[in-house]
Amino acid sequence: MGDPTEEEIVAQRLLVARLGRLGLVRRYTRWGNHNCHCYSEPPELHGPYTHWTRTEANKTVSRIWSDEQLSRYQSWLDNAR
Ligand SMILES: [Zn+2]
């Protein structure tokens, strides 16, 4: 894999700095498209995806990680332990 992007570097720093209070959640989700099968009855949701929720400057910021991102970040986390 190539060099980490700027976003990945920031994520890595945040992860290492906040190891003790990471808000990582695996869950199924809907996207915004109301024509998608995730809005049908019964719903077929997408995922599971890893949602990373953190608080930044008193705002809650939520990101969704792909499995590829997750495995990359996981190795950083393991190294930081
Ligand atoms: Zn959908």
Side-chain angles (χ1 to χ4, degrees):
M1 245 180 271
D3 292 335
T5 66
E6 193 176 330
E7 181 179 339
E8 287 174 332
I9 292 169
V10 169
Q12 181 182 23
R13 288 206 189 111
L14 285 169
L15 281 177
V16 171
R18 293 161 185 238
L19 264 183
R21 47 202 176 97
L22 278 179
L24 289 178
V25 183
R26 292 285 277 178
R27 66 179 176 220
Y28 291 84
T29 193
R30 285 185 166 118
W31 302 138
N33 182 356
H34 285 237
N35 295 323
C36 185
H37 55 73
C38 54
Y39 281 93
S40 66
E41 206 45 66
E44 276 182 59
L45 300 180
H46 303 274
Y49 292 94
T50 300
H51 294 243
W52 179 37
T53 305
R54 66 187 192 275
T55 305
E56 206 168 76
N58 294 322
K59 278 188 311 186
T60 299
V61 183
S62 217
R63 304 299 296 269
I64 296 177
W65 290 352
S66 66
D67 282 345
E68 188 196 334
Q69 280 176 298
L70 179 66
S71 56
R72 263 189 113 164
Y73 297 169
Q74 189 64 54
S75 66
W76 293 337
L77 288 172
D78 291 344
N79 289 338
R81 282 204 175 102

